[in-house]
Amino acid sequence: MKKLSLAASLAAALCVAQAADATELRLGMAAPAATPWGKVTEKFAATVAELSGGEVTISIYYNNELGDEQTMARQLPRGRLDMALLSNVAASLLVPEYGLLLSPYAFDSLAEADCVTDAHLSRTFDAAFQSAGAVLLSSIEVGQMVIMSQKPFRIPADMVGQKVRTSPTPTDTDYIDATGAAAVPLGTVDSMPALKTGAVVAVTTPIVMGVAAGYAAEAPQITLTGHGHQLGALLVSKKTWDALGDKERAAITEAAQTMDELRPAVRAAEQALLEKAKTAGAIVHTPTSDEKAAWKSFAAQAQEQILSDLGDNAPQVWADLLSAKQACAK
């Protein structure tokens, strides 16, 4: 009995020692735990722990607990935050050209977007993120952009002169301006108050975020423009990355593949939430081919302004993305 007791004590002591030696990384994100992003990130953290043999643990802070996305983006290069799951808008604060992925009608289909992301994204953006103080582990699916409005906006002419909340990024803002509407760039926290007070009459938003946030209560007309496909990023601070050992990096890199599960999860959530919104009284409008052509007709004009706004490197990155699209078409 004493031998068994001694063995148990030694095993417990070993576990405590291993736990004490484990590297704990803090990961911040805007989404709540119950969302597709929260659930997949939880799986990512569990996979890292498993692959590293418990040598790396990731503590997840949901729902902007460590600050909003802009704050998290600023903290990463300084090493004050180890990891972050960021939207395209926030990730482009570190690498402005990453915002080009949200260009109006940049992709002709989801299959094309997936191909460009899987086969070409790393080569296009890895060096830029590292220069900005972060390491790109994976892109993340955020979803299709739509317009939620207080009255029907079936075609761009319907919203000429109307104030429309846009994501605070040139890709979204310049496109809405090009249609003749008055773009009002706002963060997500300010969007609902702006709808309620009449400061704006519509919002552009990814489907899941917009419906889940309750925008339909104030803007029940949902037009499936699909004018942007938002891709965010799972990033790790370069300072944190450089301090890790090869085994730890390998575990994190392999585990990051779990982010691929966001595609089917987000796309399924989009359809489920749209159905839920319709049941609650929202009106979902799928543009006809002529109406979709009208929305697309402003893309080229907007893109010129977007490339100008994003700086000297933007034209080359855009050319690289167009080349990637051509490669995916073969």
Side-chain angles (χ1 to χ4, degrees):
M1 181 66 72
K2 289 183 177 179
K3 288 182 179 180
L4 289 175
S5 178
L6 177 60
S9 297
L10 290 173
L14 179 60
C15 289
V16 171
Q18 288 176 334
D21 292 338
T23 299
E24 180 185 356
L25 304 180
R26 297 189 309 152
L27 187 157
M29 60 192 301
T35 62
W37 301 278
K39 293 176 181 178
V40 172
T41 302
E42 184 177 353
K43 183 174 181 179
F44 163 70
T47 305
V48 169
E50 178 184 354
L51 293 175
S52 69
E55 292 182 13
V56 181
T57 61
I58 296 178
S59 298
I60 306 171
Y61 295 83
Y62 303 99
N63 210 25
N64 287 329
E65 188 176 348
L66 298 180
D68 61 20
E69 285 200 312
Q70 290 77 11
T71 299
M72 289 188 279
R74 289 193 298 268
Q75 288 177 334
L76 273 176
R78 302 171 185 172
R80 295 179 180 176
L81 178 63
D82 298 306
M83 306 179 74
L85 199 77
L86 299 177
S87 67
N88 182 272
V89 176
S92 62
L93 293 175
L94 295 173
V95 177
E97 298 81 10
Y98 198 73
L100 288 169
L101 294 168
L102 189 54
S103 292
Y105 299 103
F107 303 108
D108 297 326
S109 66
L110 289 177
E112 182 182 78
D114 294 346
C115 176
V116 170
T117 301
D118 294 341
H120 303 277
L121 212 62
S122 177
R123 181 169 64 249
T124 303
F125 292 108
D126 275 358
F129 272 110
Q130 292 207 29
S131 295
V135 175
L136 176 62
L137 293 174
S138 176
S139 65
I140 62 166
E141 183 81 4
V142 178
Q144 294 292 301
M145 298 291 288
V146 298
I147 296 176
M148 300 181 68
S149 53
Q150 294 174 346
K151 59 183 181 180
F153 287 165
R154 298 175 68 93
I155 56 175
D158 292 336
M159 63 180 194
V160 170
Q162 300 294 310
K163 293 182 179 179
V164 179
R165 175 270 175 189
T166 61
S167 300
T169 178
T171 43
D172 199 30
T173 301
D174 289 345
Y175 172 69
I176 294 301
D177 273 338
T179 67
V184 181
L186 293 173
T188 54
V189 70
D190 297 317
S191 297
M192 180 61 93
L195 279 170
K196 288 183 175 180
T197 61
V200 300
V201 298
V203 297
T204 64
T205 176
I207 295 172
V208 176
M209 292 182 177
V211 177
Y215 292 164
E218 297 293 331
Q221 300 283 340
I222 305 174
T223 303
L224 305 182
T225 55
H227 63 275
H229 180 186
Q230 188 165 160
L231 291 166
L234 172 62
L235 300 168
V236 58
S237 168
K238 192 172 185 301
K239 287 186 176 181
T240 297
W241 189 251
D242 290 345
L244 296 173
D246 291 343
K247 180 181 177 181
E248 296 168 320
R249 292 182 194 173
I252 294 171
T253 300
E254 183 175 347
Q257 295 177 29
T258 59
M259 291 295 149
D260 291 346
E261 297 179 17
L262 276 170
R263 282 181 189 160
V266 169
R267 292 168 191 178
E270 287 177 337
Q271 298 308 311
L273 285 170
L274 285 174
E275 289 301 319
K276 184 178 179 179
K278 286 194 286 187
T279 301
I283 299 172
V284 178
H285 176 61
T286 301
T288 65
S289 58
D290 287 344
E291 290 169 344
K292 180 58 75 73
W295 288 107
K296 287 184 175 180
S297 68
F298 294 95
Q301 173 188 341
Q303 196 62 29
E304 290 185 12
Q305 187 61 48
I306 289 165
L307 292 175
S308 175
D309 289 345
L310 289 181
D312 295 341
N313 294 331
Q316 182 57 58
V317 174
W318 182 240
D320 292 343
L321 290 174
L322 293 178
S323 295
K325 287 182 57 172
Q326 292 177 349
C328 286
K330 295 180 180 177

